[in-house]
Amino acid sequence: MFRKLLLAATASFAITMPAWADTTLKLTEVITSPERTETLKQIVKTFEDANPGVKVEITSLPWGQAFEKFATMVSAGDTPDVVEMPDRWQSLYANNGMLENLEPYLAKWEHTKELNDRALQMGRYVNNTAYALPYGFYLRALFYNKKLFAQAGIDGPPKTVDEFVEDAKKISAIPGKYGYCLRGGPGGLNGWMMFGADMAGDGTFFKQDGTSTMADPGWVKGVQVLTDLYKNGYAPKDSVNWGFNEIVTGFYSGTCAMLDQDPDALIAVADKMGKDDYDVAPMPKGPAGKTFPTLGYGSWSMFANSENKDLAWKLIATLDGPEGNIIWNKRTGALPVYKSAEKDPFYADPKFKGWFAELGDSNVVPLVMPTYLEEFAYFADSIAVKTTQQALLGQLTPEQLASQWADYLTKAQQKFLAKK
């Protein structure tokens, strides 16, 4: 069934396809898990079957080291034809002339009109030009363990940040249990940004002159919320080093009762927990009555130096066409980029109601990181990890962390504004 669905998406290519004898396309995957890679291989196989003589060489990089490893590959001239492009990398590679402009392909593609507005907006995030074709969105919501909540005498998920902290305290009083699965290692920036914006009541990253808001009192309070949670023992001690796999495992194992995550975590959680043991709710709101869950996205991009651009586009079109995309998103858990996919029975699962409730609440403002800054990828994947770990361990105060972030981001934003 899987193969039949995808062959329908690629069969039209085979009819008029020239002979690409012994052609190899390079595809790099950077948000990797065994299940994702296996799904990717199956979709790629349908592309190869529809294009005789073409082979796709897949390189899978572990997400925790992907930024450094991919940058090393590019520096060495080992660039792929197609790459899985995280939102935070898009500006770095597009602004350095490394990504192909996909607008000519989108103008002719039969499925462009079926994409939702957000997909096209994010694909064109750099210079209003489509250097990427998003495959799905990642919006944060709050997973909570209903059994642990009941054991702690809590009758529902927290609606405010104050309630979130109080619930974490109550649950952490249970021997061997913790309130919050803190992501202190790689990829943890989202949590700090969300709580900073929540406490500030505003998701604006910069003032008109390019000065960062990170050092403003509200953002500092958000940093304080997370450092206090850790110091007070409401998150596991080793969570200072936790990445995605560790926080998800910490949640479904019952070690900690709350987890802020995207829909991709739902796959593992649903596999390991009974459907009545957990639920997903909107993120708690700050003092201003608003919450700012981060909205990220993953995409497919083509490298500008590809020697087989038309063929590389056909690979992207197979990966991100309606059939390939819905199969991919059911494995990755991303929210759909196609208007029609939102009606798919997969997304009708009650567990998705937390995310769709967020999208329908005017006081929930999705927070899009300033990934248009060339310097943001290094900030997110290096500076933020080091400094937040220092703050959790008491080596930096919240004010010192916020000041360092503000200095770095101000320089990046003012550099960006000077080029406009």
Side-chain angles (χ1 to χ4, degrees), residues 11 22 34-35 37 66 90 148 153 155-156 168 185 244 255 288 319 321 324 347 365 386 408 412:
D22 301 320
E35 296 82 6
T37 301
Q90 188 173 332
L148 286 178
D155 60 7
F244 175 82
T255 300
L319 293 167
Y347 293 104
V365 185
K386 178 182 178 181
Y408 182 89

Side-chain angles (χ1 to χ4, degrees), residues 77 117 187 201 213 235-236 240 247 253-254 275 298 352 419-420:
D117 292 342
T213 58
V240 66
I247 59 173
S253 67
K275 64 179 182 179
F352 279 97
K419 291 181 178 179
K420 294 183 73 174

Side-chain angles (χ1 to χ4, degrees), residues 304-327:
N305 62 356
S306 171
E307 295 180 357
N308 296 286
K309 291 180 181 178
D310 288 345
L311 195 56
W313 166 253
K314 289 183 178 182
L315 175 57
I316 291 174
T318 301
L319 293 167
D320 226 357
E323 292 84 1
N325 178 260
I326 193 67
I327 292 170

Side-chain angles (χ1 to χ4, degrees), residues 245-257:
N245 290 332
E246 291 82 5
I247 59 173
V248 175
T249 302
F251 181 76
Y252 68 60
S253 67
T255 300
C256 36

Side-chain angles (χ1 to χ4, degrees), residues 64-140:
Q65 298 87 41
F67 178 74
E68 292 82 3
K69 286 182 178 293
F70 189 69
T72 300
M73 287 171 57
V74 172
S75 296
D78 183 17
T79 55
D81 296 279
V82 176
V83 61
E84 182 181 13
M85 181 59 60
D87 51 3
R88 68 180 67 168
W89 299 8
Q90 188 173 332
S91 177
L92 175 65
Y93 289 103
N95 281 321
N96 280 288
M98 295 183 180
L99 301 184
E100 184 70 11
N101 177 1
L102 300 181
E103 294 289 357
Y105 299 101
L106 289 173
K108 299 177 182 178
W109 194 36
E110 60 182 321
H111 298 302
T112 301
K113 63 182 181 297
E114 301 167 23
L115 297 168
N116 60 40
D117 292 342
R118 180 75 72 172
L120 292 170
Q121 177 189 358
M122 295 297 99
R124 293 168 173 149
Y125 197 57
V126 179
N127 299 324
N128 198 31
T129 302
Y131 291 111
L133 182 58
Y135 60 69
F137 298 103
Y138 298 99
L139 180 68
R140 289 295 166 96

Side-chain angles (χ1 to χ4, degrees), residues 148-356:
L148 286 178
F149 267 62
Q151 190 176 344
I154 308 168
D155 60 7
K159 293 182 173 59
T160 67
V161 173
D162 286 346
E163 289 179 5
F164 170 82
V165 173
E166 186 61 28
D167 290 351
K169 178 181 179 180
K170 290 178 181 178
I171 291 162
S172 299
I174 302 171
K177 303 299 180 182
Y178 300 89
Y180 178 52
C181 292
L182 174 70
R183 187 169 181 172
L189 178 63
N190 290 46
W192 300 87
M193 290 297 200
M194 286 190 296
F195 280 97
D198 284 354
M199 297 308 291
D202 191 341
T204 304
F205 289 105
F206 301 101
K207 299 168 187 176
Q208 284 192 340
D209 65 355
T211 303
S212 169
T213 58
M214 293 291 105
D216 290 358
W219 288 86
V220 174
K221 287 179 182 177
V223 175
Q224 188 81 56
V225 167
L226 290 182
T227 55
D228 284 352
L229 277 170
Y230 183 77
K231 291 175 183 177
N232 290 332
Y234 304 162
K237 204 57 138 179
D238 57 349
S239 65
V240 66
N241 293 310
W242 281 8
F244 175 82
N245 290 332
E246 291 82 5
I247 59 173
V248 175
T249 302
F251 181 76
Y252 68 60
S253 67
T255 300
C256 36
M258 289 184 285
L259 166 72
D260 65 83
Q261 252 309 318
D262 312 312
D264 55 349
L266 188 59
I267 296 168
V269 171
D271 183 57
K272 301 291 186 179
M273 297 180 75
K275 64 179 182 179
D276 296 326
D277 294 340
Y278 73 98
D279 212 337
V280 183
M283 289 297 294
K285 295 173 179 174
K290 294 180 179 291
T291 187
F292 300 84
T294 51
L295 177 69
Y297 56 98
S299 303
W300 301 109
S301 288
M302 185 195 309
F303 257 68
N305 62 356
S306 171
E307 295 180 357
N308 296 286
K309 291 180 181 178
D310 288 345
L311 195 56
W313 166 253
K314 289 183 178 182
L315 175 57
I316 291 174
T318 301
L319 293 167
D320 226 357
E323 292 84 1
N325 178 260
I326 193 67
I327 292 170
W328 176 251
N329 281 355
K330 285 180 179 180
R331 173 49 56 192
T332 64
L335 297 173
V337 295
Y338 283 95
K339 299 169 187 175
S340 60
E342 296 176 14
K343 300 175 183 177
D344 189 280
F346 177 75
Y347 293 104
D349 188 309
K351 297 302 181 187
F352 279 97
K353 71 179 184 295
W355 289 286
F356 287 115

